[in-house]
Short mmCIF file of all heavy atoms in Angstrom, two decimals:
data_model
loop_
_atom_site.label_atom_id
_atom_site.label_comp_id
_atom_site.label_asym_id
_atom_site.label_seq_id
_atom_site.Cartn_x
_atom_site.Cartn_y
_atom_site.Cartn_z
N ILE A 174 -8.44 -5.81 21.50
CA ILE A 174 -8.47 -6.68 20.33
C ILE A 174 -7.20 -7.51 20.22
O ILE A 174 -7.24 -8.71 19.91
CB ILE A 174 -8.68 -5.85 19.05
CG1 ILE A 174 -10.06 -5.18 19.07
CG2 ILE A 174 -8.55 -6.73 17.80
CD1 ILE A 174 -10.28 -4.19 17.93
N GLY A 175 -6.06 -6.90 20.47
CA GLY A 175 -4.79 -7.62 20.37
C GLY A 175 -4.61 -8.23 19.00
O GLY A 175 -4.79 -7.57 17.97
N ASN A 176 -4.27 -9.52 18.97
CA ASN A 176 -4.07 -10.21 17.68
C ASN A 176 -5.33 -10.94 17.22
O ASN A 176 -5.28 -11.70 16.25
CB ASN A 176 -2.89 -11.19 17.78
CG ASN A 176 -3.18 -12.36 18.72
OD1 ASN A 176 -4.21 -12.38 19.42
ND2 ASN A 176 -2.28 -13.33 18.75
N GLY A 177 -6.45 -10.71 17.91
CA GLY A 177 -7.71 -11.33 17.49
C GLY A 177 -7.93 -12.73 18.00
O GLY A 177 -8.89 -13.41 17.61
N HIS A 178 -7.07 -13.20 18.91
CA HIS A 178 -7.15 -14.58 19.38
C HIS A 178 -8.50 -14.91 20.02
O HIS A 178 -9.04 -16.01 19.81
CB HIS A 178 -6.02 -14.85 20.38
CG HIS A 178 -6.10 -16.21 21.01
ND1 HIS A 178 -5.73 -17.36 20.35
CD2 HIS A 178 -6.52 -16.60 22.26
CE1 HIS A 178 -5.93 -18.40 21.14
NE2 HIS A 178 -6.39 -17.97 22.30
N SER A 179 -9.06 -13.98 20.78
CA SER A 179 -10.32 -14.25 21.49
C SER A 179 -11.47 -14.54 20.54
O SER A 179 -12.47 -15.14 20.94
CB SER A 179 -10.68 -13.06 22.39
OG SER A 179 -9.70 -12.88 23.39
N TRP A 180 -11.35 -14.12 19.28
CA TRP A 180 -12.41 -14.32 18.29
C TRP A 180 -11.99 -15.34 17.22
O TRP A 180 -12.61 -15.44 16.17
CB TRP A 180 -12.77 -12.99 17.63
CG TRP A 180 -13.18 -11.98 18.64
CD1 TRP A 180 -14.45 -11.72 19.09
CD2 TRP A 180 -12.32 -11.10 19.37
NE1 TRP A 180 -14.43 -10.74 20.05
CE2 TRP A 180 -13.13 -10.34 20.25
CE3 TRP A 180 -10.94 -10.88 19.38
CZ2 TRP A 180 -12.61 -9.39 21.12
CZ3 TRP A 180 -10.42 -9.93 20.25
CH2 TRP A 180 -11.25 -9.20 21.10
N ASP A 181 -10.90 -16.08 17.53
CA ASP A 181 -10.35 -17.06 16.58
C ASP A 181 -9.98 -16.40 15.26
O ASP A 181 -10.19 -16.95 14.18
CB ASP A 181 -11.35 -18.21 16.35
CG ASP A 181 -10.71 -19.41 15.63
OD1 ASP A 181 -9.49 -19.59 15.78
OD2 ASP A 181 -11.44 -20.13 14.92
N LEU A 182 -9.43 -15.21 15.36
CA LEU A 182 -9.04 -14.46 14.17
C LEU A 182 -7.53 -14.21 14.12
O LEU A 182 -7.06 -13.29 13.47
CB LEU A 182 -9.79 -13.12 14.11
CG LEU A 182 -11.29 -13.21 13.79
CD1 LEU A 182 -11.96 -11.85 13.97
CD2 LEU A 182 -11.52 -13.72 12.37
N ASP A 183 -6.77 -15.04 14.83
CA ASP A 183 -5.31 -14.96 14.76
C ASP A 183 -4.82 -16.03 13.79
O ASP A 183 -4.28 -17.06 14.18
CB ASP A 183 -4.67 -15.12 16.14
CG ASP A 183 -5.15 -16.37 16.87
OD1 ASP A 183 -6.24 -16.89 16.55
OD2 ASP A 183 -4.43 -16.85 17.77
N ARG A 184 -5.03 -15.77 12.51
CA ARG A 184 -4.76 -16.77 11.47
C ARG A 184 -3.43 -16.50 10.78
O ARG A 184 -3.01 -15.35 10.63
CB ARG A 184 -5.87 -16.74 10.42
CG ARG A 184 -7.29 -16.80 10.97
CD ARG A 184 -7.62 -18.14 11.59
NE ARG A 184 -8.99 -18.18 12.12
CZ ARG A 184 -10.04 -18.52 11.39
NH1 ARG A 184 -9.92 -18.83 10.12
NH2 ARG A 184 -11.25 -18.56 11.96
N ASN A 185 -2.79 -17.59 10.32
CA ASN A 185 -1.56 -17.43 9.53
C ASN A 185 -1.87 -16.82 8.17
O ASN A 185 -1.15 -15.95 7.68
CB ASN A 185 -0.88 -18.79 9.35
CG ASN A 185 -0.27 -19.30 10.63
OD1 ASN A 185 0.15 -18.51 11.48
ND2 ASN A 185 -0.21 -20.62 10.79
N ASP A 186 -2.95 -17.29 7.54
CA ASP A 186 -3.36 -16.76 6.24
C ASP A 186 -4.53 -15.82 6.42
O ASP A 186 -5.67 -16.11 6.06
CB ASP A 186 -3.74 -17.92 5.29
CG ASP A 186 -2.58 -18.82 4.98
OD1 ASP A 186 -1.44 -18.34 4.99
OD2 ASP A 186 -2.81 -20.02 4.74
N GLY A 187 -4.27 -14.68 7.00
CA GLY A 187 -5.33 -13.72 7.27
C GLY A 187 -5.03 -13.03 8.59
O GLY A 187 -3.96 -12.46 8.79
N GLY A 188 -5.99 -13.10 9.51
CA GLY A 188 -5.78 -12.53 10.83
C GLY A 188 -6.47 -11.20 11.02
O GLY A 188 -7.21 -10.72 10.16
N THR A 189 -6.23 -10.60 12.19
CA THR A 189 -6.81 -9.31 12.56
C THR A 189 -5.71 -8.25 12.52
O THR A 189 -4.62 -8.46 13.05
CB THR A 189 -7.40 -9.37 13.97
OG1 THR A 189 -8.36 -10.42 14.02
CG2 THR A 189 -8.09 -8.05 14.32
N TYR A 190 -6.01 -7.12 11.90
CA TYR A 190 -5.03 -6.05 11.73
C TYR A 190 -5.62 -4.74 12.24
O TYR A 190 -6.70 -4.33 11.82
CB TYR A 190 -4.65 -5.90 10.25
CG TYR A 190 -4.04 -7.13 9.64
CD1 TYR A 190 -4.86 -8.17 9.19
CD2 TYR A 190 -2.67 -7.27 9.51
CE1 TYR A 190 -4.32 -9.32 8.63
CE2 TYR A 190 -2.11 -8.41 8.95
CZ TYR A 190 -2.94 -9.44 8.51
OH TYR A 190 -2.39 -10.57 7.95
N ILE A 191 -4.91 -4.10 13.16
CA ILE A 191 -5.29 -2.77 13.63
C ILE A 191 -4.72 -1.76 12.64
O ILE A 191 -3.52 -1.74 12.38
CB ILE A 191 -4.75 -2.50 15.05
CG1 ILE A 191 -5.21 -3.59 16.02
CG2 ILE A 191 -5.18 -1.12 15.51
CD1 ILE A 191 -6.70 -3.64 16.25
N LEU A 192 -5.59 -0.90 12.10
CA LEU A 192 -5.20 0.01 11.03
C LEU A 192 -5.48 1.47 11.42
O LEU A 192 -6.51 2.04 11.07
CB LEU A 192 -5.96 -0.34 9.74
CG LEU A 192 -5.76 -1.77 9.21
CD1 LEU A 192 -6.72 -2.04 8.06
CD2 LEU A 192 -4.32 -1.98 8.77
N PRO A 193 -4.56 2.11 12.13
CA PRO A 193 -4.70 3.54 12.42
C PRO A 193 -4.24 4.36 11.23
O PRO A 193 -3.61 3.83 10.30
CB PRO A 193 -3.77 3.73 13.62
CG PRO A 193 -2.68 2.74 13.37
CD PRO A 193 -3.33 1.54 12.72
N PRO A 194 -4.54 5.67 11.21
CA PRO A 194 -3.95 6.54 10.17
C PRO A 194 -2.43 6.48 10.26
O PRO A 194 -1.86 6.24 11.33
CB PRO A 194 -4.47 7.93 10.53
CG PRO A 194 -5.65 7.69 11.42
CD PRO A 194 -5.37 6.43 12.16
N TYR A 195 -1.76 6.69 9.13
CA TYR A 195 -0.31 6.55 9.11
C TYR A 195 0.32 7.58 8.18
O TYR A 195 -0.36 8.24 7.39
CB TYR A 195 0.09 5.14 8.67
CG TYR A 195 -0.35 4.78 7.27
CD1 TYR A 195 0.48 4.99 6.17
CD2 TYR A 195 -1.61 4.22 7.05
CE1 TYR A 195 0.07 4.68 4.89
CE2 TYR A 195 -2.04 3.90 5.76
CZ TYR A 195 -1.19 4.12 4.69
OH TYR A 195 -1.61 3.81 3.42
N VAL A 196 1.63 7.70 8.28
CA VAL A 196 2.40 8.63 7.45
C VAL A 196 2.84 7.90 6.18
O VAL A 196 3.36 6.79 6.23
CB VAL A 196 3.63 9.16 8.21
CG1 VAL A 196 4.44 10.08 7.31
CG2 VAL A 196 3.20 9.89 9.47
N SER A 197 2.61 8.54 5.04
CA SER A 197 3.09 8.01 3.76
C SER A 197 3.95 9.08 3.09
O SER A 197 4.15 10.17 3.62
CB SER A 197 1.91 7.64 2.86
OG SER A 197 1.22 8.80 2.44
N GLN A 198 4.46 8.78 1.90
CA GLN A 198 5.28 9.76 1.17
C GLN A 198 4.48 11.01 0.82
O GLN A 198 5.02 12.10 0.72
CB GLN A 198 5.84 9.13 -0.10
CG GLN A 198 6.96 8.14 0.15
CD GLN A 198 7.59 7.65 -1.15
OE1 GLN A 198 6.92 7.63 -2.18
NE2 GLN A 198 8.85 7.26 -1.09
N GLU A 199 3.16 10.83 0.66
CA GLU A 199 2.30 11.97 0.35
C GLU A 199 1.96 12.80 1.58
O GLU A 199 1.33 13.84 1.49
CB GLU A 199 1.01 11.49 -0.32
CG GLU A 199 1.18 10.94 -1.73
CD GLU A 199 1.78 9.54 -1.74
OE1 GLU A 199 1.59 8.82 -0.73
OE2 GLU A 199 2.45 9.18 -2.71
N GLY A 200 2.35 12.30 2.75
CA GLY A 200 2.03 13.00 3.99
C GLY A 200 1.16 12.13 4.88
O GLY A 200 1.07 10.91 4.69
N SER A 201 0.54 12.74 5.87
CA SER A 201 -0.31 11.99 6.79
C SER A 201 -1.55 12.80 7.11
O SER A 201 -1.57 14.03 6.97
CB SER A 201 0.44 11.67 8.09
OG SER A 201 0.78 12.87 8.77
N ASP A 202 -2.57 12.11 7.52
CA ASP A 202 -3.81 12.80 7.86
C ASP A 202 -4.66 11.85 8.69
O ASP A 202 -4.49 10.64 8.67
CB ASP A 202 -4.58 13.20 6.60
CG ASP A 202 -5.41 14.46 6.81
OD1 ASP A 202 -5.71 14.76 7.99
OD2 ASP A 202 -5.71 15.14 5.82
#
C-alpha cells in the first residue's frame, strides 16, 4: 500500500494511513 500513490490516495488533505494496534497511556492490545 505504501502512501497510497498507486490508487491516487496520496493526498495533502487526506491520504492513506496504515493503522496497526499501538501503545497508549492505557496500555496496548
Side-chain angles (χ1 to χ4, degrees):
I174 295 172
N176 67 353
H178 174 76
S179 297
W180 303 269
D181 193 27
L182 289 171
D183 52 337
R184 310 291 180 88
N185 289 330
D186 296 331
T189 304
Y190 300 82
I191 304 295
L192 301 172
Y195 62 92
V196 178
S197 68
Q198 286 186 333
E199 290 76 27
S201 63
D202 210 338

